[in-house]
Amino acid sequence: MKLKVFRTRLFEEITVVFAVLLVGCGLANVSDAAVQEGSAVNRMIIHTDKGTKQISRNIYGHFSEHLGRCIYEGFWVGEDSSIPNTRGIRNDVVEALRKLNIPVLRWPGGCFADEYHWKEGIGPRDQRPKMLNTHWGMVTETNAFGTHEFLDLCEQLGCEAYIAGNVGSGTVEEMQDWVEYMTFDGDSEMANLRRKNGRDKPWRVKYFGVGNENWGCGGNMTAESYAELYNRFQTYVRSYSGNQIVKVACGPGSANYPWITVVMERCHRNMGAISLHHYVRGTGDWTRKGSATKFDEAEWFALMKNTLTIYPLLKKNIEIMDRFDRRGRIDLFVDEWGTWWDAEPGTNPGFLYQQNTIRDAVSAGIFLNAFNEHCHRVKMANIAQTVNVLQAMILTKGEKMILTPTYHVFEMYKVHHDATLLPVELQSNEYQFGNDKIPALNVSASKDSSGRIHISLCNLDPSNAAEVRCALEGAEPKGMFGRVLTAEDMTAHNTFENPQVVKPAIFSDFKLEGNMFTTTLPAKSVVVLAIE
Ligand code: AHR
């Protein structure tokens, strides 16, 4: 590996040759004192007294859909289950998610949202009509888990609710009624129906999505026709009884810039946020996404490179938002993101059940660093999905539950919740594979309300450790502490038989001297350092 210096502001295109990653806004290049050309040591400067932006805790949000075994088995086992539960919701899953300080949960979809009719999911459970889940495996949906159960789950988790409404196959009236049912405190048909169904006080529902992927599974609309529908539907999504609802417009999938341009242009006055969805995999092919656990370095490298596309993607989408919203009033919610692999052999392909390795963990670390870096606009992100689907935090099998490597990244990164983003300049070595290369390191840093500095570092190289020399400008550090997530093998993952293969450990491979420290990050690792 050879260190090169180049001077640029931020990622432009992922196809450019990366030698330096500058993270954290407005700083053009690493100061000459901290850079020695030709050295194999990565260089970093953290401006500990220059943070101005807050990292919303909602960047660490989650998503749960009526898909496969996410809701049923994952969250909901029913009151009569032998699996310990509170009002039908499994206790082990709630307890594990509470340890992440889960800030917000999105529901009921996904594609499912645009075929969900909420009135079928209220009232006595044995009288609820059944429906066909046409998107996900053509299975029968019993509607046992509906509005009351979801909002009970949010209360058990202590998190905000983010509900996605049905534009694709629903009506304006249906959407209006739903919001009134959940949040109106007074005397109305919907509020009284809620009371009849056992809930007197209204719930707080902070976020409401007007449709989901309406360019695809949510109705295959053009941007123009969705924009017209959005403006009409959102009119009736009201803030009742002190519940200030944030209306979320359906934004693009990945680089669909024409979509976000039209929706921003035509709807910006009527929205609090717009969504972005971005999934990554180890191949360029949706019909063969690759195995979650059986892959070689070519597919490892491809995932790392694909994950880094989040930087130019955020930059371009934000630039378009800036054109119509110069004051930055509208938030960007990356309300679906993560890795997407071929379903685990032997499972229903429509259930999107996949395993999760140290590769997924490093990818998650990069995504979260990128969201932190763009926290002036990215105010929420929801990894897909929470339990048993795609890049899950938790996998369940009957009464058993395991935590994935990605769960551990969320647990380690919770120090960034609501902290102040610190500008970082990083001069990274390259991780070269074949004729291609990407920066080997990825980072973000923040300062929490007690003044403690937290640095999350990912080493994307699966074979080489990375030595880093860091200057903490503006700090007088007294001590340092670290945790690491890594594994011997790049396909390492937790199973029901061996649930502790990938888990965080104490990390002490660092040396602090004055306001400088050096550290050596293991290959394929996520390291979080705390400095006070
Ligand atoms: O998360 C799985 C699916 O991916 C969601 O239902 C949909 O919104 C997206 O295409």
Side-chain angles (χ1 to χ4, degrees), residues 57-63 96-97 99-104 334 337-338 356 360-361 363-368 371 381-386 391-394 404-417 483 485 504 526 528:
R57 58 173 49 227
N58 286 342
I59 282 177
Y60 296 83
H62 295 266
F63 168 43
L97 292 173
K99 287 193 184 135
L100 299 182
N101 296 344
I102 173 173
V104 59
V334 189
W337 66 271
N356 193 301
D360 296 84
S363 172
I366 299 168
F367 263 110
L368 293 168
F371 299 149
N382 309 72
I383 189 168
Q385 299 192 3
T386 322
Q391 194 174 357
M393 304 297 107
I394 291 169
T404 66
T406 301
Y407 173 97
H408 294 305
V409 173
F410 272 74
E411 191 277 317
M412 290 164 72
Y413 274 51
K414 69 184 178 185
V415 291
H416 288 309
H417 290 200
R483 291 171 80 207
L485 190 72
V526 177
V528 177

Side-chain angles (χ1 to χ4, degrees), residues 63 65 67 110-111 136 212-213 277 279 336 340 352 384-385 390:
F63 168 43
E65 180 167 10
L67 193 179
C111 297
W136 305 119
N212 170 78
E213 295 196 354
H277 290 180
Y279 289 100
E336 287 186 31
W340 193 321
L352 310 186
Q385 299 192 3
L390 297 177

Side-chain angles (χ1 to χ4, degrees), residues 236-372:
Y236 305 93
V237 175
R238 310 223 186 250
S239 290
Y240 298 105
S241 311
N243 180 68
Q244 280 304 322
I245 212 154
V246 176
K247 301 174 197 179
V248 189
C250 166
S254 301
N256 187 347
Y257 302 122
W259 178 278
I260 188 170
T261 305
V262 170
V263 176
M264 280 300 296
E265 184 180 21
R266 300 187 181 196
C267 311
H268 67 273
R269 285 188 189 82
N270 298 325
M271 66 170 83
I274 188 163
S275 67
L276 168 68
H277 290 180
H278 188 52
Y279 289 100
V280 288
R281 52 200 186 279
T283 68
D285 179 0
W286 270 105
T287 59
R288 197 193 61 81
K289 296 179 277 296
S291 161
T293 54
K294 293 184 177 60
F295 54 85
D296 56 15
E297 191 177 346
E299 284 185 49
W300 169 285
F301 180 87
L303 179 69
M304 296 302 134
K305 186 170 171 173
N306 287 344
T307 301
L308 290 168
T309 60
I310 190 63
Y311 283 88
L313 197 64
L314 290 175
K315 183 171 182 276
K316 284 201 180 175
N317 278 295
I318 290 171
E319 272 168 14
I320 294 167
M321 292 177 73
D322 288 345
R323 294 209 321 248
F324 303 98
D325 176 37
R326 291 211 189 108
R327 281 194 233 150
R329 185 189 62 80
I330 299 168
D331 298 337
L332 183 60
F333 288 177
V334 189
D335 60 20
E336 287 186 31
W337 66 271
T339 56
W340 193 321
W341 307 116
D342 293 336
E344 279 298 298
T347 66
N348 184 332
F351 282 12
L352 310 186
Y353 177 77
Q354 68 189 40
Q355 252 294 357
N356 193 301
T357 66
I358 186 69
R359 178 176 64 158
D360 296 84
V362 177
S363 172
I366 299 168
F367 263 110
L368 293 168
N369 284 342
F371 299 149
N372 284 354

Side-chain angles (χ1 to χ4, degrees), residues 108-158:
C111 297
F112 182 78
D114 282 285
E115 66 175 8
Y116 181 59
H117 300 284
W118 70 272
K119 285 182 184 163
E120 297 179 351
I122 55 171
R125 254 177 237 121
D126 57 354
Q127 291 168 30
R128 296 182 191 173
K130 294 184 170 56
M131 68 173 279
L132 199 54
N133 190 335
T134 61
H135 280 292
W136 305 119
M138 283 285 176
V139 292
T140 300
E141 161 66 54
T142 64
N143 277 309
F145 189 93
T147 302
H148 289 248
E149 291 77 13
F150 171 67
L151 292 166
D152 184 15
L153 170 62
C154 291
E155 287 183 341
Q156 291 188 35
L157 292 170

